[in-house]
Amino acid sequence: MSQSLDRGLSVLDALAEGADTLDALAGELGVHKSTVLRLLRTLETHHFVRREGPRHYRLGSALFDLANRALENSDVRRSASPALAALNAQTGHTVHLATYEDGEVVYVDKYEGRHSVRMYSRIGKRAPVHCTAVGKVLVSALDPDRRAEVANAIDYPALTENTITDAPAYLAELERVAKQGYAVDNAEHEDFIHCIAAPVRGPGGAVLAAVSLSVPKVLLDYEGLLALLPQLTAAAENASIHSGWTGR
């Protein structure tokens, strides 16, 4: 990757956290202000960055347009959308659609629940695979060698007292998920939320994505969460059929 491109992408990544000044960006990138200013002017010309007042910069409209077009061109997001919307309307709980990318979960769609408790997730956000139900579903779908490779590359940060913290335990969990056809996040990622997930399949049965229901524990206990499995698996099957899965 060219140095200028690398620095330009680093500027965009830094601005994703909010408005920033030229001095702050230069300090974060470890380069002279004149270098950052040249990058900002180029990005501003193409509307990837916009100036806010005399000193601050924010992400620009072109970046949002690019992200939206990329999401709209995601076949599984488009094909699964009716099933996800129906599941959200039926249960009133938050529904996610996620894919696997470079050892992480990427949320590609989200239908917000009707309850007042909000979770940190958003479309485009990445999350760990070892403590999310969608992550377990997606990694369990990999062939055994690749599954082991992914499991052994994880650092296993303990985000809650229920988080899996080593590769043998994670691999055993993935084996259970592969056999039962769904995964559970029992307050492993966020201690006040639990979640269930199931695979969305495409032609030939390949797992394209994972769909999940996320529920605050104050609204529903663990047994109540598991009682939603029929609705979840029905929605996942419906999304799979619309994504090209024939059941064989």
Side-chain angles (χ1 to χ4, degrees):
M1 185 184 295
S2 74
Q3 189 177 58
S4 293
L5 177 58
D6 184 61
R7 286 173 174 169
L9 293 174
S10 296
V11 167
L12 293 176
D13 188 58
L15 289 176
E17 300 301 318
D20 220 334
T21 64
L22 177 62
D23 288 343
L25 289 168
E28 187 164 342
L29 270 64
V31 297
H32 196 272
K33 287 191 292 184
S34 61
T35 300
V36 179
L37 184 59
R38 284 196 299 271
L39 291 169
L40 287 169
R41 284 174 174 169
T42 299
L43 291 167
E44 189 177 7
T45 298
H46 295 278
H47 305 292
F48 285 101
V49 164
R50 65 181 175 87
R51 203 177 329 188
E52 188 175 77
R55 301 181 59 212
H56 287 80
Y57 293 85
R58 283 190 180 275
L59 294 180
S61 59
L63 194 62
F64 303 132
D65 179 57
L66 194 65
N68 284 329
R69 280 188 284 162
L71 286 170
E72 288 303 324
N73 288 328
S74 171
D75 289 339
V76 67
R77 182 177 187 261
R78 185 168 56 249
S79 59
S81 179
L84 269 60
L87 179 63
N88 172 254
Q90 181 184 21
T91 65
H93 298 304
T94 299
V95 175
H96 290 111
L97 184 70
T99 58
Y100 176 81
E101 184 179 309
D102 299 329
E104 294 180 297
V105 165
V106 180
Y107 294 108
V108 295
D109 211 350
K110 179 181 182 180
Y111 291 79
E112 197 73 67
R114 292 195 292 268
H115 48 77
S116 59
V117 179
R118 292 289 184 265
M119 54 202 71
Y120 92 112
S121 62
R122 64 176 183 271
I123 295 174
K125 186 76 174 179
R126 291 174 176 265
V129 295
H130 72 291
C131 56
T132 54
V134 286
K136 294 176 185 179
V137 166
L138 293 167
V139 179
S140 73
L142 301 174
D143 66 71
D145 288 344
R146 179 67 181 130
R147 191 189 297 178
E149 184 181 336
V150 171
N152 288 321
I154 297 172
D155 292 332
Y156 295 99
L159 301 182
T160 76
E161 63 180 15
N162 292 342
T163 304
I164 293 171
T165 55
D166 60 67
Y170 185 52
L171 286 168
E173 176 76 350
L174 294 177
E175 189 67 29
R176 283 190 292 272
V177 171
K179 289 179 179 177
Q180 66 193 16
Y182 68 90
V184 176
D185 159 12
N186 185 14
E188 299 165 48
H189 188 209
E190 298 174 282
D191 58 11
F192 62 96
I193 288 174
H194 48 197
C195 180
I196 48 177
V200 176
R201 301 182 182 275
V207 174
L208 305 176
V211 57
S212 69
L213 273 174
S214 299
V215 188
K217 292 165 63 178
V218 296
L219 294 182
L220 201 62
D221 61 17
Y222 188 69
E223 289 71 26
L225 175 71
L226 293 180
L228 295 175
L229 270 171
Q231 291 101 309
L232 173 70
T233 54
E237 182 174 334
N238 190 10
S240 297
I241 290 170
H242 285 89
S243 299
W245 181 62
T246 62
R248 295 192 297 274

